[in-house]
Amino acid sequence: MGNIPETGRTRRVTGRLLVLQVLVLSLLGTLGGRLWYLQIRSGASYAQQASSNHIRTVVVPAVRGEILDSNGVPLADNTTKLVVSVSRTSLLQQKDGGKAVLTRLGQVLGMTYLDMHDKVRLCDAKTPRPCWNGSPYQPIPVTQTATTQQAMQIMERQEDFPGVTASTSAVRLYPAPSGANAAQILGYLSPVTEEEITAATDANGKSSLAASDQVGRAGLEYQYDKALRGTNGTTNLEVDNLGRVIGTAGGNAPVPGADLVTSIDARIQALAEQQLNQAMVTLRGTWDKVTSQNYKADSGAVVVMDVHTGRIIAMASAPTYNPNIWSGGISAKDYAALNSQNSDFPMLNRAIQGQSAPGSTFKVVSTTGALNAGYSYDSTFPCTSSMTIGGRLFKNFEGENFGAINLSKALEVSCDTVFYNIAYQQWLSDGGTKPKHPQDWLYKAAHQFGLGATTGIDLPGEVKGRVPDRAWHQNYYDAMKDTWCKQAKTETDPYLRAIATEDCVDFATLRAGDEVNYAIGQGDTLVTPIQMARVYSALANGGTLYAPQIAKAVVSPGGKTVQPIRPVVQGHLPTTSRMIDYIDQATANVITSGTAAWKFQGWPQDKVQLHAKTGTAEVVGKQTTSWFDTYTKDYAIVMTISQGGTGSGGSGPAVRNIYNALYGIQANGSIDPSKAIRPAAQNALPSFHPDGTVTQPVSFTAPALLPPAGSNAPALAALDIAALAPERRSDA
């Protein structure tokens, strides 16, 4: 037949088939390439990701490090408690979502179903506490205070309590050795927040904090949280597609936290707390003739410092509280009580956060300023009962008159009018209300003593006090001018209106009355007990200002020192050796013949030379604040009591009792070295064994302490833990 000629239609069909074949082959090639990429090139990676879909990581908490006193005695420790936990996974596998199990469990533990339900629900932005902030695959603790009987009921009836376990677990404990409460020093723990977890996340998206972690919130627990916390471990759990655990797949062991060795001596800490409390109790039964009522003695603080290093041996604040209420989670009732005005905010550490006028204890600063301004050691000034400055009468305390005396005698007898006179002369020489090039020697001295700034102590929340110099007056005026000027027009009380009018016009100007009041530690001057302890420590050691420190070393769990914390020199007083000797003699005379002599009769000054300055600070609308600042060649002790009367009368006996115990001074003035707690400063660390345990010090019994002068109370038993619960007057 011959060949049939190819028509146009046939050619078009053939072309389309060819294109289709190419397209199909391209698609097959692309699919094959993709399959090769997924199965060969990236197969291992996807296999790992697929496997991880069946792995859930559970955090294994690290044991928190201990906080130890200078002898190695635990101030913050860990104890084992019976913890009842519930598996959320197991609850969800039950038909009723675990309601029956939680109800039965609540009956055993004395809790309601709602209590149990709230504890095992997961936290989110809308769910209030209590709730569980950790992994849903981790057993959720519902109580840390289970009894042995309750645990036995649960474990012996597992058929009634599927997914419920009772086991021992580490819980933070504050054991109060020797009765040393130390709540404000130690701080407390509470659950971590989402913000903190995010802040602790590194570049790889991993956070050093787990949602179930507890972190330090105050005190040393906060300041050294990273070292104390350690590193959490992990356990990898294999789960099926329904979330049920079917096995384990390894993990990492937790690394315990390091221990923190402090300079706190638990025996002295307990003694300081007891003496502060007893002084306040005694004052509440003592009549204040000025206000015609008993002293309220509503709060106070005491600091014991090593003058050669700045280390804190004891630091007490009142009122106080039991830090163990935070262990296992604080109740809403207890939390409200801690932050209530009725309780006077016991969480405040008044040693570093309590600000008040220092009264006459400030005169060592004014004396130094005066000597640097050019006054001689022998210059005399009239100690009159009062003097008039700018039309206002400034009185000496209790109207005393000692005639013409020098600065040393003025410190000894605490003559206000001597310092009024010097301050007024300095104000005039600086130009009065129209200064040109003021020297401000008295204000300069305060800054050189480290006042008006934080000391840098290794505790959070320290406040800086206030030196009311020219800069402060201007800044405060700028902030308050509008308020004062408005009050000057609207205030109905004539006295308050007059003050507001005066402040509206010229508060920015340093007036004569401002500097006169400042020179005796009154007016707008504010200090903290830790600042004054550092001042008097510097006087004791020849003029060196040390940073106050509580931590001495961070020690690994095996007992090897990993980070010694050495004393830090911050500066030096604006003094010469002659100035120090001059102030030394004056403050020693305060004990033998000055304002504190009536409380220190029989003191062995020839064996333990004690230096002191009393202070009675006036507060508008309140009773006077008692200050008693002291030092020996070893220690500085500063005590202050709000609404506690005079320095020597309110705080003197308590400070004397602390020194008695430190040096072993007996009631008759003799010294028994065998009864001295700590006659000299201690710099060495305690002895650690290879297993991390510490050689405990020999037990110590302090001598009976002297009752306050004029009191019918019996001698106080040293280190009495019962005395740590401060009494509260109904009107305090």
Side-chain angles (χ1 to χ4, degrees):
M1 289 180 53
N3 293 331
I4 301 174
E6 185 179 31
T7 65
R9 177 180 179 136
T10 302
R11 287 195 299 272
R12 286 196 299 272
V13 171
T14 301
R16 289 172 181 172
L17 288 173
L18 181 61
V19 171
L20 183 60
Q21 289 174 347
V22 171
L23 180 60
V24 170
L25 290 173
S26 298
L27 290 173
L28 289 173
T30 302
L31 181 60
R34 184 61 179 167
L35 287 173
W36 175 86
Y37 177 82
L38 293 175
Q39 295 183 357
I40 306 301
R41 176 69 183 273
S42 303
S45 173
Y46 284 106
Q48 183 179 2
Q49 292 183 36
S51 175
S52 67
N53 287 337
H54 297 282
I55 300 295
R56 296 293 182 269
T57 299
V58 174
V59 173
V60 181
V63 176
R64 193 172 181 86
E66 297 178 341
I67 300 176
L68 308 172
D69 87 338
S70 59
N71 295 304
V73 178
L75 298 169
D77 200 354
N78 301 298
T79 186
T80 55
K81 291 189 177 182
L82 272 173
V83 178
V84 175
S85 302
V86 175
S87 168
R88 181 176 171 82
T89 301
S90 178
L91 293 180
L92 295 178
Q93 292 173 354
Q94 297 168 36
K95 292 182 179 180
D96 62 352
K99 183 175 182 179
V101 173
L102 292 179
T103 301
R104 287 193 293 269
L105 182 60
Q107 291 171 349
V108 172
L109 299 177
M111 302 166 69
T112 66
Y113 165 73
L114 183 60
D115 293 333
M116 305 301 297
H117 170 269
D118 290 350
K119 285 178 177 289
V120 300
R121 64 185 176 178
L122 301 181
C123 293
D124 57 31
K126 297 181 180 179
T127 304
R129 293 183 183 275
C131 56
W132 176 240
N133 203 32
S135 167
Y137 297 98
Q138 190 170 350
I140 302 173
V142 294
T143 182
Q144 295 181 333
T145 58
T147 65
T148 304
Q149 183 178 3
Q150 290 170 334
M152 293 291 290
Q153 282 184 265
I154 294 167
M155 300 312 293
E156 289 178 355
R157 295 164 49 197
Q158 278 292 284
E159 68 279 4
D160 292 334
F161 301 103
V164 181
T165 58
S167 60
T168 58
S169 179
V171 177
R172 202 58 162 173
L173 174 70
Y174 302 99
S178 300
N181 177 273
Q184 293 84 4
I185 297 174
L186 297 172
Y188 60 94
L189 306 179
S190 71
V192 69
T193 65
E194 287 294 334
E195 292 78 10
E196 289 168 327
I197 294 174
T198 301
T201 301
D202 59 22
N204 297 320
K206 292 184 178 181
S207 178
S208 60
L209 292 171
S212 56
D213 274 346
Q214 298 268 317
V215 295
R217 292 297 180 201
L220 296 174
E221 294 278 28
Y222 172 88
Q223 192 75 18
Y224 294 96
D225 180 73
K226 186 175 181 180
L228 291 166
R229 192 172 355 109
T231 304
N232 290 332
T234 58
T235 297
N236 297 322
L237 301 178
E238 295 181 356
V239 299
D240 60 17
N241 58 353
L242 296 178
R244 293 173 298 193
V245 177
I246 58 177
T248 59
N252 300 309
V255 178
D259 294 336
L260 184 71
V261 180
T262 72
S263 55
I264 299 295
D265 188 314
R267 302 163 300 176
I268 303 170
Q269 176 68 28
L271 181 62
E273 292 172 359
Q274 180 206 47
Q275 285 301 299
L276 175 62
N277 176 74
Q278 183 59 49
M280 293 169 64
V281 170
T282 300
L283 285 167
R284 292 176 192 145
T286 303
W287 188 253
D288 176 15
K289 62 183 180 181
V290 176
T291 60
S292 299
Q293 60 180 315
N294 286 353
Y295 289 108
K296 293 183 178 178
D298 50 11
S299 61
V302 58
V303 176
V304 182
M305 180 183 285
D306 178 346
V307 301
H308 300 294
T309 60
R311 289 186 171 129
I312 306 301
I313 312 303
M315 175 186 286
S317 177
T320 188
Y321 69 98
N322 184 351
N324 285 303
I325 63 175
W326 291 95
S327 297
I330 191 171
S331 69
K333 180 180 179 181
D334 286 338
Y335 185 79
L338 284 180
N339 291 277
S340 167
Q341 189 170 357
N342 292 332
S343 66
D344 209 357
F345 307 104
M347 291 175 64
L348 283 176
N349 185 346
R350 285 171 166 84
I352 65 171
Q353 296 173 311
Q355 302 181 106
S356 68
S360 293
T361 62
F362 185 77
K363 289 173 182 174
V364 295
V365 178
S366 297
T367 297
T368 303
L371 292 172
N372 283 328
Y375 293 93
S376 75
Y377 296 95
D378 298 322
S379 297
T380 59
F381 310 87
C383 179
T384 56
S385 60
S386 65
M387 65 183 299
T388 301
I389 299 174
R392 178 182 170 188
L393 186 66
F394 290 84
K395 295 182 179 180
N396 198 14
F397 186 68
E398 295 185 343
E400 294 176 313
N401 187 332
F402 291 94
I405 60 176
N406 62 14
L407 277 169
S408 178
K409 189 66 176 180
L411 279 177
E412 177 187 331
V413 300
S414 201
C415 180
D416 291 339
T417 48
V418 166
F419 291 93
Y420 292 153
N421 196 340
I422 292 172
Y424 185 52
Q425 290 177 16
Q426 286 297 297
W427 181 78
L428 290 174
S429 68
D430 284 333
T433 58
K434 297 179 179 180
K436 293 184 178 180
H437 301 288
Q439 295 297 307
D440 287 335
W441 287 106
L442 301 186
Y443 293 101
K444 186 184 299 182
H447 290 294
Q448 291 169 326
F449 270 76
L451 301 178
T454 56
T455 66
I457 188 172
D458 52 345
L459 288 176
E462 183 189 8
V463 298
K464 64 181 183 179
R466 181 168 67 211
V467 175
D469 54 15
R470 297 179 194 277
W472 177 80
H473 271 267
Q474 184 64 58
N475 292 336
Y476 197 55
Y477 177 73
D478 292 341
M480 296 295 296
K481 177 182 178 181
D482 292 344
T483 301
W484 288 330
C485 293
K486 181 178 179 181
Q487 186 179 3
K489 297 178 180 178
T490 60
E491 178 61 57
T492 56
D493 185 291
Y495 176 72
L496 295 178
R497 184 172 63 251
I499 293 177
T501 301
E502 183 179 5
D503 290 342
C504 170
V505 174
D506 67 350
F507 186 87
T509 302
L510 187 67
R511 296 162 290 193
D514 296 324
E515 187 151 357
V516 164
N517 267 328
Y518 163 81
I520 64 164
Q522 291 284 173
D524 294 304
T525 309
L526 293 176
V527 299
T528 62
I530 192 64
Q531 288 176 324
M532 297 309 289
R534 184 172 65 156
V535 165
Y536 279 78
S537 286
L539 291 172
N541 67 37
T544 301
L545 288 165
Y546 286 97
Q549 290 179 330
I550 295 179
K552 291 177 71 175
V554 176
V555 180
S556 67
K560 180 180 179 182
T561 301
V562 295
Q563 183 188 345
I565 301 172
R566 297 182 174 86
V568 176
V569 175
Q570 294 179 317
H572 296 84
L573 299 183
T575 54
T576 63
S577 59
R578 186 180 179 187
M579 287 184 194
I580 293 289
D581 292 342
Y582 189 77
I583 294 173
D584 273 352
Q585 186 60 58
T587 52
N589 290 343
V590 170
I591 293 295
T592 58
S593 56
T595 53
W598 69 298
K599 290 294 184 181
F600 281 82
Q601 295 177 12
W603 178 263
Q605 190 75 334
D606 58 332
K607 299 181 179 67
V608 179
Q609 189 172 79
L610 180 60
H611 305 259
K613 187 69 199 76
T614 58
T616 307
E618 297 179 1
V619 183
V620 177
K622 292 186 177 183
Q623 295 166 311
T624 55
T625 299
S626 169
W627 280 92
F628 196 56
D629 298 2
T630 67
Y631 62 90
T632 65
K633 63 181 180 62
D634 305 298
Y635 303 106
I637 301 180
V638 168
M639 180 177 286
T640 182
I641 299 175
S642 170
Q643 304 199 85
T646 65
S648 54
S651 302
V655 171
R656 179 173 184 171
N657 277 331
I658 297 173
Y659 278 120
N660 285 347
L662 283 169
Y663 290 107
I665 300 172
Q666 306 304 294
N668 62 3
S670 65
I671 298 178
D672 186 346
S674 68
K675 294 182 178 179
I677 296 182
R678 191 165 167 158
Q682 173 184 311
N683 294 317
L685 295 176
S687 299
F688 286 85
H689 300 297
D691 62 355
T693 58
V694 183
T695 300
Q696 297 297 315
V698 178
S699 61
F700 173 86
T701 302
L705 304 177
L706 299 175
S711 169
N712 295 322
L716 301 173
L719 314 185
D720 180 7
I721 191 171
L724 293 178
E727 293 184 10
R728 298 288 299 168
R729 284 171 50 81
S730 60
D731 61 343

